[in-house]
Amino acid sequence: MALAGFARPLGAAAVVATLALGVFWFLHRRAIPEPSEPPVVLPARTVVPREVLEGFPDPVILLTAQRSIVAANRPARDVLGVGRLGGDLALSLRHPDVLAAVDTVSSGVPLISEEITLPVPVPRTFTLHVASLSDADDPDDPQVILVLHDETRAKKAEQSRADFVANASHELRSPLSALIGFIETLRGPASNDADARERFLAIMHDEALRMARLVEDLMSLSRVEINEHVRPRGRADLERILTGVTDALLVRAEGRGMTFDIRCPSDLPAVAGDPDQLTQVFHNLVDNAIKYGRADTPLQIEAKPVGKLPGGDAGGVSVSVADRGDGIAAIHLPRLTERFYRIDEGRSRRLGGTGLGLAIVKHIVSRHRGQIKINSQEGLGTTVTILLPATADGTPDARD
């Protein structure tokens, strides 16, 4: 792919040169009458090489020396939300480094390449390339080209690998040390003690299962983080997902004398999302409620439409999972979604927790452009609420 090598200045220059040649070829061609395919005239009185720009998978924007947008391809419109033609770039892309680079190139510097991070709606890392096309007699002609190559996936993969090694080495140290100790005991003082052997083998089995759960959760978290910036394009039926989750966990709940109180209207709007990931979200939440709720109490799961999500104008769906447990002190609530954060480490490990469940929930909800809210009162219980954007036809907003 032509833009894959943008990280190298030479590659960037080559692609920019190609785009520039396309621009000038098309501008020259408009002087030649061509009855069968007349040129497409866009706002700002400038003919744009649409077939060249639209062929690139990365956002490409053509600007005048005064930063007015002459043309923008579909990725620029979808990913960056670039607005109407003729407007100032600052109205669509307010990043100071981007605007400074455009101004610098407009003042005479031929090419600028640098790495930037756009913080909303989720952080994304791009390699920014800004280059001068040429001096033009008409101030409305394109004189600057801006290209943004998305490096988010590569950056997240690199960070995930580093985090995986650091977290795994730290969290696996304790169970591995326990296994080594038990093995040495079984080979030495307890080699002929049948009762000790059975007891130690049971503990070793539990520690091995704990390591397996930890590795599985770490890999799941890494996969979610790598794709967090890519909004899901599918359609998810929350009523079906919640039914599947409660069916899967029914035996575990009954083992503690718990019952499910499910409140879900039949006309609940669908949400734009990945059904498998949303199943993981609600499986984790209901599983936590079973672990930390009091025995012989109901677990309430309520889904309902929301006319307007906080911080926006769009409607959505709210799903809350409430238990009647010991509750959580307010000081812990802001950190509950941090990886490996445990209020009671000993209890968490006895119950089979890895300290990653809510971190996974947070990143999946972030990928779905949703919100997570946790409310708890000591002695009364905890309620976790997930807010997700609704969609009428299963197709999310094109802008990421």
Side-chain angles (χ1 to χ4, degrees):
M1 192 163 51
L3 292 182
F6 271 6
R8 300 186 182 90
L10 182 58
V15 174
V16 169
T18 302
L19 286 172
L21 288 173
V23 173
F24 295 129
W25 167 78
F26 203 89
L27 292 174
H28 174 72
R29 187 178 144 192
R30 66 176 173 175
I32 303 174
E34 194 169 311
S36 59
E37 295 184 7
V40 179
V41 179
L42 295 179
R45 298 175 302 167
T46 303
V47 178
V48 179
R50 186 186 298 272
E51 68 272 22
V52 176
L53 295 182
E54 296 295 345
F56 283 86
D58 286 331
V60 180
I61 305 173
L62 298 180
L63 304 163
T64 67
Q66 288 73 40
R67 282 199 328 223
S68 295
I69 299 174
V70 177
N73 65 354
R74 180 174 295 278
R77 299 190 296 271
D78 291 349
V79 176
L80 304 178
V82 173
R84 65 180 182 83
L85 303 183
D88 193 299
L89 178 66
L91 299 177
S92 301
L93 197 57
R94 296 184 177 88
H95 197 288
D97 291 343
V98 175
L99 302 179
V102 171
D103 291 339
T104 301
V105 168
S106 297
S107 67
V109 177
L111 174 67
I112 289 180
S113 295
E114 61 182 274
E115 186 177 284
I116 65 167
T117 298
L118 300 181
V120 293
V122 293
R124 301 180 73 159
T125 302
F126 293 89
T127 299
L128 168 70
H129 304 281
V130 183
S132 174
L133 294 175
S134 73
D135 294 330
D137 295 334
D138 189 339
D140 291 331
D141 281 347
Q143 298 184 42
V144 176
I145 182 170
L146 184 154
V147 182
L148 288 166
H149 180 57
D150 196 342
E151 303 280 2
T152 308
R153 189 183 298 272
K155 289 291 183 182
K156 284 185 174 290
E158 180 182 341
Q159 186 61 47
S160 293
R161 285 193 294 269
D163 290 343
F164 182 88
V165 171
N167 293 326
S169 62
H170 175 74
E171 291 293 321
L172 292 176
R173 186 179 294 115
S174 295
L176 282 174
S177 297
L179 287 176
I180 293 171
F182 289 131
I183 291 171
E184 291 176 348
T185 302
L186 289 174
R187 296 177 64 182
S191 58
N192 297 318
D193 188 335
D195 292 338
R197 182 169 60 250
E198 289 302 318
R199 186 171 68 255
F200 288 163
L201 286 175
I203 297 174
M204 292 167 66
H205 180 260
D206 291 341
E207 292 293 334
L209 290 178
R210 178 186 155 206
M211 286 191 291
R213 288 193 300 268
L214 178 61
V215 171
E216 182 179 353
D217 280 355
L218 279 170
M219 294 181 68
S220 177
L221 181 60
S222 296
R223 287 192 295 267
V224 172
E225 287 180 327
I226 288 172
N227 294 308
E228 186 176 353
H229 65 290
V230 181
R231 186 172 184 172
R233 299 287 178 177
R235 179 188 180 98
D237 183 340
L238 289 182
E239 183 180 9
R240 179 178 298 178
I241 289 173
L242 293 174
T243 300
V245 167
T246 53
D247 287 347
L249 294 173
L250 181 60
V251 173
R252 190 178 302 176
E254 290 178 342
R256 300 202 65 216
M258 293 178 162
T259 57
F260 292 128
D261 177 11
I262 304 175
R263 304 175 185 180
C264 183
S266 58
D267 59 348
L268 188 71
V271 299
D274 182 324
D276 290 337
Q277 286 195 339
L278 291 177
T279 297
Q280 186 175 13
V281 165
F282 296 112
H283 188 284
N284 284 3
L285 295 182
V286 176
D287 185 50
N288 277 351
I290 295 173
K291 287 177 182 175
Y292 298 106
R294 294 192 191 96
D296 303 315
T297 60
L299 299 179
Q300 186 179 92
I301 303 170
E302 182 177 11
K304 59 184 179 181
V306 178
K308 184 177 179 181
L309 291 174
D313 296 325
V317 175
S318 165
V319 182
S320 61
V321 179
D323 66 58
R324 296 185 185 177
D326 296 333
I328 302 169
I331 191 173
H332 296 294
L333 295 180
R335 300 190 61 190
L336 284 180
T337 56
E338 294 179 12
R339 62 177 70 196
F340 298 118
Y341 185 79
R342 301 180 180 96
I343 299 171
D344 185 339
E345 187 167 341
R347 183 186 182 191
S348 174
R349 288 180 174 174
R350 285 195 307 272
L351 295 174
T354 62
L356 293 172
L358 286 179
I360 293 172
V361 167
K362 179 186 73 172
H363 287 286
I364 292 177
V365 171
S366 175
R367 184 187 178 216
H368 285 72
R369 307 303 186 259
Q371 301 175 44
I372 177 173
K373 299 181 181 298
I374 304 176
N375 297 304
S376 186
Q377 295 185 41
E378 292 185 84
L380 296 179
T382 301
T383 300
V384 182
T385 302
I386 304 298
L387 297 168
L388 297 167
T391 177
D393 58 1
T395 304
D397 186 354
R399 182 177 175 183
D400 282 340

